[in-house]
Structures are given as structure tokens and as C-alpha cells.
Amino acid sequence: MSDLRDAAMSSKAWPFEEARKLLKRVEKRPPEKGYVLFETGYGPSGLPHIGTFGEVLRTTMIRRAFEAISDIPTRLICFSDDMDGMRKVPSNVPNQEMLHKNLQRPLTSVPDPFGTHESFGHHNNAMLRRFLDTFGFEYEFYSATEFYKSGRFDAVLKRATERYDDIMAVMLKSLREERQQTYSIFLPIHPETGRVLYVPMKHVDAQAHTVTFDDEEGREWTLPITGGNVKLQWKPDFGARWAALDVDFEMYGKDHSTNTPIYDRICEILGGKKPEHFTYELFLDENGEKISKSKGNGLTIDEWLTYAATESLSYFMFQKPKTAKRLWWDVIPKAVDEYHQQLRAFPDQDTKAQLANPVWHIHNGNPPKSDMVVPFAMLLNLASVAGADDKDGLWGFIKRYAPDASPETHPHLDEAAEFAVRYFRDFVAPTRQFRAPDEKERAAMEDLVARLKAWDGGLDAEELQSLVFAVGKDHAFDPLRDWFKALYEVILGASQGPRFGGFIALYGVDETVKLIEGALARG
């Protein structure tokens, strides 16, 4: 354990770098609450998207890294801002008209358009928890509605009335002049309509802890700040929550980064200590636009898991969190194969290299053994040429390539075969474009056919790769990747593919000969 801790204290893996910053914080002032608190926030204004999952996953990775270097207990809270007013109706949910009638009401007061839960907020919270539970996260779920109504926020809310002017001074500096005229950190919930009101305060009573305001019809109301009658605007709410819970660490997307000084200062005004932060870059859709809950662009967790295992998504999330990443269908096969490459490398690595390996962080230091003797990209190409409708259609080829493999002994490979058939059917088959070879390519492919017909070297993937390589070299392809690109485009209808020698070994020499001859006859 000491060797691992020593290596972790110098590891350049980003979860350990963040964990060490947090350790410095708690060494200076050990938490009076007896544990280090990690928090992630979630706005349930629409169906949870994959970025929300990524935030919890990455926070968990830092939490586990912290536990590797410290004996201080930890907790993780997933906090849902479900008391926010519904400011617009997401385009990807049913019963749009009904939702429009409930605009500006707290999300936990908006009827569920799916008809399955107490409210729209409850529905989206349930979806988030199901997603998180799928991945086995250890977390505690907090609802802002319950937090406000139960009294757990009362002390900080009262303090906010007492220090109202100080908090307002922080906020007003960040607002345009016209917004300053009507802004208040407090948002009352109208006693009759139930709507969240964005109105200026006529009076904030620091002794009675009440707020007085006029509603949209000009009627004056005075409400206690406690009991769920009033909530905080989202920026003050961020800092107030940190103070109320004594949060030690929270990460959020780059779009929040300019607000960090505001969150921090409000937390301090309300008697808290600002937490450690980590800002990550945003996920982009196929067009390079930020993914959004309300737009429903980008991939959902369920969509990814239709075509690949959970670990591949975790691997994708681990990579370069401070770099914006395109999150679209075509990143899935690469993530699957790279994840298994790292699994295979792990047993032979020293402790330092293991701590830098993504699979250490995905599996909390105890990654399984990979049984993917056939890469996912190869399975996709096999599905293409074999015309398989299900994974059983691939196993005949897999068994010839790896005689000791079976669905029972290689469950991850079996699962991947099913995913590959599904992915090929939905994404590869509709986009395939075969082309005819030019004169030079045709001559090289005819030569390859001749050499394969004369081949008696068995199904060794490396030797077959050398054979294909030699044909390209003999026909003066420069660079040689142009030769392999021609094979993929003419034979497989794609611009890239697996190592061709491995493909021949998997598909079979005689079958590959027929495949190439068929492609040449087509062109």
C-alpha cells in the first residue's frame, strides 16, 4: 500500500493531480465534519445527458484517487436543482402544450409529461439515478426541493438576509445596468400560482428573515425566507450550497468558469470556505456544437450503451477532460478498442504506469482481464462481409481464429459481437460506398489474390499482414497506407479498417480471396 501511495503522490494522471490539491487543503484545515465532501450539481430541466454522467464519473475518479493517498473518509453528493423554475420547454419530450402552461413553476411542481412520476423534476431525477446506478456509482442524492423545504437550508438563507447587501454587491458587479434595476438574489414562489418570480425586492428583513415584493399584478406580498417559500438565484445558490454543506470539491463545465469568483465570494460571505474546483471542457455534437439537455443533441447514455459496454464510455470520459471532445457515434469503436488495449497492457506495467493507465481509474485499481481476442473494429468488418444478422453469425469465424474462445469463456467478446452487429446494421451499412480500383490498385489486388491462393502458412495474422505489406511495396505504393486504404474502399466500402492481415486470419484465406475477386468483378 505504501508503494502505491508513494507512486500516487507523484503520478501525472489528472485524477491524482487534483486529489493532491485537495489533500493540501484538508491538511491545512482538517474537515470538522470528519470527512471530505465531493459534490456534483445537476439541473433537471431536461432529460439527463451524457455530460451529467461524465461529471459524476470524473468526480468519482478524483475521489478514488484521493482515497489512495489519504485515510480521511469521503462522501459524494449528487445535488439536483429541481426547485428551479422551468424557463423553457425541452423539445424532446411529449405533452408540449401542458408543459407550456406550467412555465416558471418549480420543476418538482410541473406535471410529468410522461405520466410516470410525481412531477417532471421527479421523472428526470429518477432517470439520472438510474443512469448513475447502471455504472455502480457510490453517491447520495439530494433534492433542492427537499433541501429548501426541510429546513436544512434555513441557517444559510437567514444569513443571506442578514448579509443581503454584501451578496447583492457581488452580483450587481457582474450584471448589465438594465438587469441591475430588477435583480434580487431571492426568487419568491408565488403563494397562489406556484410560479418562481423574478421580481425586485421591496424590503429584506434581516431580523424577521422575510422578503417583501410586488407580484406581476402589483399585489404586495411578504414571505418568510424559509420553508420553501423562497429560493436563491442560481449563482448565489451555488455559493450558498457550498457554505451550507461545507463542500470540499466540485467540478463543472467551462461555461461556469467565469462565475467561479462569484460562487467563491458568496460562499465566503455566508461563512463557508470555497471548495477546490476543476473545470472541464464541454462535449460537442457532430456539428461541433455544445450538447444540451433542452436540444437533445449529442448522445445519451442509453444510446451509447446500445452499441458498447459501460467501460468504453468511462474510458472516453477519462481522456483529456480539459479538451473539448466531439461526442458522436463514430467515437464508439475507437473507445472500445483502446479500452481493451489498456486492459491488456495493465498486468505487465509497473505501479507508476498502472496509476497512469485509465483502467486503474475506471475500475478503482482492480481492472479485469480483457478477453477481447478480436478487436471491435475487426468485428465490425466481419459483420460487414459475413452478412451476419446476429452474433451467432460471427462466432463461426471467431472460433476458427481463436479456437479456445467461446461465449461462455469470453463473455465480453460475446457481448461485443452483439454490439458490432447492431452498430454495423445501424451506422456502417447505410453509409458504405464501394469504389472501383484504378489500374495500379487492380493489378496489386490481383497479385494479392494469387499469393493468397498459393499461401500455405496457416492463419497467422502477423505473417498474413507481412504478405499484404509486401504486395503493396512491390507495386510501389508510397505511402503504403494508400494501399491499405484502397483495400478498405474497394473491398469493404470504408475509408479505413483493421489490420488487414488480422482480418484475413479471422475471415479465412479462401473467403478473403472470394471477397477480393467479387470486388474486382464489381468494378
Side-chain angles (χ1 to χ4, degrees):
M1 183 65 182
S2 60
D3 289 345
L4 186 147
R5 184 164 288 188
D6 289 344
M9 289 301 292
S10 60
S11 175
K12 288 184 170 54
W14 64 264
F16 283 114
E17 291 181 337
E18 297 307 313
R20 290 195 296 270
K21 293 177 189 175
L22 186 54
L23 183 61
K24 285 183 181 179
R25 169 195 174 91
V26 297
E27 284 178 338
K28 288 179 183 175
R29 190 194 76 168
E32 294 180 6
K33 58 188 179 294
Y35 54 87
V36 169
L37 181 60
F38 295 80
E39 184 188 45
T40 64
Y42 162 65
S45 56
L47 307 183
H49 63 60
I50 212 164
T52 308
F53 156 79
E55 193 168 295
V56 181
L57 173 76
R58 288 167 170 169
T59 301
T60 296
M61 288 177 172
I62 296 172
R63 180 188 183 188
R64 297 309 181 205
F66 178 84
E67 291 171 343
I69 61 175
S70 172
D71 296 322
I72 301 175
T74 65
R75 291 173 61 191
L76 169 60
I77 286 175
C78 182
F79 197 102
S80 172
D81 292 312
D82 56 19
M83 201 169 166
D84 289 352
M86 184 175 67
R87 304 190 69 173
K88 59 182 177 179
V89 176
S91 59
N92 58 344
V93 298
N95 290 311
Q96 296 274 306
E97 184 178 349
M98 178 273 289
L99 290 176
H100 276 286
K101 291 178 181 177
N102 283 274
L103 283 171
Q104 303 304 336
R105 298 187 72 201
L107 291 159
T108 45
S109 298
V110 175
D112 179 15
F114 297 92
T116 57
H117 290 77
E118 182 180 338
S119 72
F120 191 34
H122 286 85
H123 174 274
N124 293 339
N125 286 342
M127 282 194 68
L128 174 68
R129 297 179 74 168
R130 177 172 62 84
F131 289 163
L132 300 182
D133 292 343
T134 297
F135 288 80
F137 289 122
E138 293 178 18
Y139 67 96
E140 299 166 53
F141 188 82
Y142 277 38
S143 159
T145 302
E146 294 175 10
F147 204 67
Y148 273 93
K149 289 184 176 181
S150 68
R152 293 196 61 182
F153 220 179
D154 283 0
V156 164
L157 288 169
K158 290 177 180 178
R159 206 171 299 141
T161 63
E162 297 160 7
R163 303 175 187 178
Y164 180 74
D165 291 340
D166 292 338
I167 300 173
M168 282 293 288
V170 172
M171 289 306 307
L172 292 177
K173 287 179 184 177
S174 69
L175 302 173
R176 297 188 304 273
E177 185 175 351
E178 63 270 22
R179 182 77 174 103
Q180 292 177 357
Q181 307 307 314
T182 60
Y183 183 84
S184 171
I185 64 170
F186 295 121
L187 300 178
I189 313 299
H190 197 290
E192 292 178 347
T193 67
R195 297 176 67 200
V196 179
L197 300 181
Y198 290 78
V199 293
M201 296 296 103
K202 295 176 72 173
H203 179 61
V204 176
D205 192 322
Q207 292 185 324
H209 304 299
T210 60
V211 293
T212 301
F213 59 93
D214 287 342
D215 66 16
E216 293 143 317
E217 296 179 358
R219 292 183 295 167
E220 183 178 281
W221 298 84
T222 296
L223 295 177
I225 199 75
T226 55
N229 292 292
V230 179
K231 73 177 298 293
L232 288 166
Q233 285 263 19
W234 69 274
K235 290 179 186 177
D237 188 81
F238 235 100
R241 194 168 67 230
W242 288 347
L245 292 169
D246 190 14
V247 174
D248 294 294
F249 178 91
E250 180 154 357
M251 68 164 58
Y252 37 76
K254 183 182 177 181
D255 50 346
H256 281 276
S257 59
T258 55
N259 296 322
T260 297
I262 296 174
Y263 305 155
D264 286 348
R265 183 66 191 121
I266 290 174
C267 175
E268 291 169 342
I269 290 172
L270 292 172
K273 180 183 179 183
K274 64 182 181 182
E276 295 298 311
H277 320 109
F278 179 84
T279 304
Y280 57 85
E281 266 289 358
L282 305 176
F283 295 108
L284 310 175
D285 66 11
E286 62 174 331
N287 299 315
E289 297 179 357
K290 174 191 168 186
I291 62 173
S292 161
K293 290 190 293 290
S294 58
K295 289 182 182 176
N297 59 335
L299 299 187
T300 67
I301 297 174
D302 282 344
E303 285 171 334
W304 184 295
L305 299 186
T306 300
Y307 302 100
T310 56
E311 295 82 7
S312 61
L313 178 54
S314 298
Y315 174 83
F316 179 82
M317 292 290 174
F318 178 88
Q319 299 299 315
K320 298 179 180 178
K322 288 187 175 289
T323 301
K325 288 195 295 211
R326 182 173 165 276
L327 179 57
W328 201 237
W329 302 108
D330 52 5
V331 305
I332 295 177
K334 185 172 182 282
V336 174
D337 282 338
E338 289 184 0
Y339 163 72
H340 281 280
Q341 287 168 12
Q342 297 288 3
L343 272 187
R344 288 191 291 272
F346 187 85
D348 298 323
Q349 293 175 326
D350 60 22
T351 302
K352 181 180 178 181
Q354 286 183 338
L355 293 181
N357 190 322
V359 301
W360 190 96
H361 302 274
I362 294 169
H363 297 284
N364 194 23
N366 188 30
K369 183 179 179 181
S370 173
D371 64 18
M372 283 283 286
V373 293
V374 179
F376 191 71
M378 193 87 77
L379 291 172
L380 286 176
N381 289 112
L382 182 60
S384 173
V385 299
D389 293 324
D390 54 40
K391 64 183 179 181
D392 295 337
L394 303 186
W395 265 105
F397 297 97
I398 295 171
K399 281 182 171 294
R400 181 169 56 187
Y401 177 75
D404 295 333
S406 71
E408 292 73 31
T409 59
H410 292 61
H412 294 123
L413 177 59
D414 185 53
E415 183 182 47
E418 179 69 32
F419 285 139
V421 171
R422 200 177 296 159
Y423 188 95
F424 169 75
R425 181 190 65 225
D426 293 348
F427 299 111
V428 180
T431 62
R432 280 194 299 178
Q433 290 186 324
F434 296 94
R435 70 169 177 85
D438 62 24
E439 190 173 328
K440 177 181 177 180
E441 293 164 348
R442 177 177 289 276
M445 290 179 193
E446 288 174 344
D447 185 7
L448 177 58
V449 165
R451 296 192 198 193
L452 286 174
K453 284 182 175 178
W455 178 258
D456 60 0
L459 294 176
D460 186 283
E462 290 304 317
E463 290 183 8
L464 286 165
Q465 180 72 6
S466 296
L467 171 68
V468 181
F469 188 90
V471 172
K473 199 169 183 181
D474 290 348
H475 287 265
F477 282 89
D478 185 25
L480 268 171
R481 66 173 171 270
D482 287 348
W483 162 231
F484 290 96
K485 186 169 183 283
L487 286 170
Y488 301 141
E489 291 177 346
V490 173
I491 299 169
L492 301 175
S495 58
Q496 55 187 358
R499 285 171 61 86
F500 207 76
F503 172 76
I504 298 172
L506 178 62
Y507 191 50
V509 174
D510 292 341
E511 288 81 0
T512 303
V513 166
K514 292 176 184 176
L515 188 66
I516 299 173
E517 288 179 335
L520 293 176
R522 218 173 30 239

